[in-house]
């Protein structure tokens, strides 16, 4: 497999894991080998009136050189091509006006066998300076005085086969705040003793209209990049997410990445950085009702 195909395959894996975490039971794997997936989309979670199934096929060159192949399995009984065209145009205009740089993802080791990250973890004790050394350099570039420590929130833990995952979140607007939050978290002995503390952050620079973003695996190969990819898909701004993992002695394989993503998404939803599927459906329903009410007023 060529280097470009390998990179595309890894990007597909990252996106599939992120979408699976975001959509939960509404995400369905039709054929893993052929890369065929289905997403159930409805107008209301509790008692949906309209439900569509979007089936997608990911070709080998997606996302770099080939578009996904998609098909709607149901229709709404009305013309929708104009809406599609205008929504695509909206996305293209937004992309043209944005100069969002590619993430600068640093890895602590080369990608190896899927389970290699777990093989030596029982006696591993993290060095506290390592997970924050990247932001130390960035923060030292600024001569500003120390900024106020942001509030830090802790999510509900997820436990699977004696491994425990827990997310921590803090609002941040500068790399110095990222550094301070990481240092504060490491003052907690339980967090400091975690096998891995994976983190990613995204800071929107208003003046340059770009994102300052970075991530750290802390020994869990590619986990930081996958966490950052999830945050990019969710389009969250000015936030740091740290996921601690305490290894329980049983290899989890790819499931560990699913738990990392789920922990991160849950805490982002809990603190209103992203809407849950239920809230999105309710908000869409309210917006449609407002538009209909306005239309009725103009007609009378």
């Amino acid at each position: 497999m060529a280097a470009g195909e390998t990179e595309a395959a890894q990007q597909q894996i990252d996106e599939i894991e992120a979408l699976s975490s975001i959509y939960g039971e509404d995400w369905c794997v039709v054929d893993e080998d052929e890369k065929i997936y289905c997403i159930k989309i409805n107008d209301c979670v509790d008692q949906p009136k309209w439900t569509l199934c979007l089936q997608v096929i990911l070709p080998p060159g997606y996302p770099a050189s080939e578009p996904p192949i998609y098909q709607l399995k149901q229709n709404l009984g009305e013309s929708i091509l104009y809406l599609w065209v205008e929504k695509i145009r909206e996305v293209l205009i937004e992309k043209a006006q944005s100069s969002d740089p590619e993430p600068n993802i640093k890895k602590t080791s080369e990608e190896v066998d899927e389970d290699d990250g777990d093989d030596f973890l029982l006696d591993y004790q993290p060095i506290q300076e390592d997970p924050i050394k990247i932001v130390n350099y960035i923060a030292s570039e600024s001569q500003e005085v120390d900024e106020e420590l942001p509030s830090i929130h802790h999510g509900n833990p997820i436990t699977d086969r004696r491994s425990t995952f827990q997310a921590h979140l803090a609002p941040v607007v500068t790399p110095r705040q990222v550094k301070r939050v990481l240092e504060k978290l490491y003052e907690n002995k339980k967090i400091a003793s975690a096998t891995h503390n994976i983190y990613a952050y995204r800071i929107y620079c208003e003046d340059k209209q770009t994102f300052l973003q970075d991530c750290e695996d802390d020994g869990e190969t590619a986990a930081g990049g996958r966490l950052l990819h999830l945050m990019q898909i969710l389009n969250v701004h000015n936030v740091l997410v740290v996921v601690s993992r305490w290894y329980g002695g049983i290899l989890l394989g790819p499931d560990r990445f699913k738990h990392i993503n789920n922990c991160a998404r849950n805490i982002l939803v809990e603190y209103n950085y992203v809407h849950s599927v239920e809230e999105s459906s309710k908000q869409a329903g309210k917006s449609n009702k407002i538009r209909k009410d306005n239309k009725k007023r103009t007609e009378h």
Side-chain angles (χ1 to χ4, degrees):
M1 185 180 291
E5 293 179 353
T6 303
E7 183 178 354
Q10 185 58 52
Q11 288 176 331
Q12 288 186 20
I13 291 171
D14 293 349
E15 183 170 10
I16 290 165
E17 287 179 350
L19 292 174
S20 175
S21 173
I22 293 169
Y23 294 114
E25 294 181 356
D26 291 335
W27 173 265
C28 174
V29 179
V30 179
D31 190 324
E32 184 69 53
D33 293 334
E34 297 296 326
K35 303 291 184 183
I36 304 175
Y37 307 93
C38 187
I39 308 169
K40 185 169 68 175
I41 309 167
N42 51 47
D43 60 331
C44 175
V45 173
D46 297 328
Q47 295 180 327
K49 181 179 179 181
W50 295 101
T51 299
L52 295 177
C53 289
L54 176 65
Q55 181 172 296
V56 294
I57 302 173
L58 305 184
Y62 174 83
S65 59
E66 293 183 83
I69 302 167
Y70 60 89
Q71 178 183 11
L72 282 177
K73 306 301 287 186
Q74 289 92 7
N75 198 10
L76 297 176
E78 60 186 59
S79 301
I80 59 174
L81 294 183
Y82 173 79
L83 297 177
W84 284 11
V85 171
E86 292 308 308
K87 188 60 182 178
I88 293 171
R89 190 195 314 279
E90 195 179 301
V91 171
L92 291 176
I93 292 173
E94 183 179 341
K95 186 172 182 62
Q97 293 174 345
S98 171
S99 55
D100 189 7
E102 291 294 318
N104 180 21
I105 300 174
K106 301 175 177 63
K107 297 184 179 179
T108 56
S109 61
E110 294 183 1
E111 182 71 36
V112 288
D113 184 77
E114 191 68 37
D115 284 326
D116 279 1
D118 281 334
D119 290 343
F120 59 92
L121 301 180
L122 280 175
D123 299 322
Y124 174 74
Q125 292 297 325
I127 301 172
Q128 294 189 14
E129 290 79 11
D130 281 350
I132 60 175
K133 65 182 179 181
I134 296 173
V135 291
N136 276 342
Y137 174 77
I138 300 174
S140 66
E141 292 290 291
S142 172
Q143 298 302 317
E144 298 176 6
V145 297
D146 284 344
E147 300 174 27
E148 182 180 354
L149 177 69
S151 56
I152 302 175
H153 308 285
H154 308 282
N156 293 324
I158 294 175
T159 300
D160 180 13
R161 285 164 280 180
R162 299 206 301 265
S163 278
T164 299
F165 303 78
Q166 185 178 27
H168 322 281
L169 176 149
V172 294
V173 293
T174 67
R176 186 177 294 275
Q177 285 187 325
V178 174
K179 177 176 180 290
R180 291 205 62 193
V181 170
L182 293 173
E183 290 174 336
K184 184 65 178 177
L185 285 172
Y186 267 78
E187 291 178 7
N188 182 301
K189 292 182 179 179
K190 182 178 179 181
I191 295 174
S193 67
T195 312
H196 306 290
N197 282 299
I198 304 116
Y199 74 76
Y201 66 87
R202 301 188 81 218
I203 298 171
Y204 183 64
C205 305
E206 191 76 38
D207 54 340
K208 299 179 181 178
Q209 294 189 337
T210 58
F211 282 93
L212 178 61
Q213 53 191 9
D214 208 342
C215 59
E216 168 62 34
D217 298 335
D218 193 25
E220 187 72 286
T221 303
R226 295 180 185 204
L227 176 58
L228 179 58
H229 188 72
L230 173 70
M231 294 171 68
Q232 290 170 331
I233 289 178
L234 295 174
N235 195 28
V236 294
H237 303 172
N238 301 332
V239 64
L240 164 70
V241 176
V242 181
V243 179
S244 302
R245 182 200 180 179
W246 292 269
Y247 177 60
I250 300 175
L251 303 178
L252 301 186
D255 283 349
R256 65 192 191 273
F257 299 115
K258 177 183 71 175
H259 296 322
I260 291 167
N261 274 354
N262 284 338
C263 276
R265 181 182 177 275
N266 289 345
I267 200 169
L268 286 167
V269 168
E270 183 178 356
Y271 290 96
N272 299 316
Y273 282 88
V274 62
H275 294 301
S276 65
V277 175
E278 292 86 349
E279 289 173 336
S280 297
S281 299
K282 290 178 182 177
Q283 286 195 346
K286 288 179 181 178
S287 298
N288 289 334
K289 185 177 186 301
I290 292 171
R291 283 196 293 269
K292 289 179 181 178
D293 291 344
N294 289 338
K295 184 178 180 181
K296 288 179 181 177
R297 291 193 189 99
T298 56
E299 289 174 350
H300 291 294

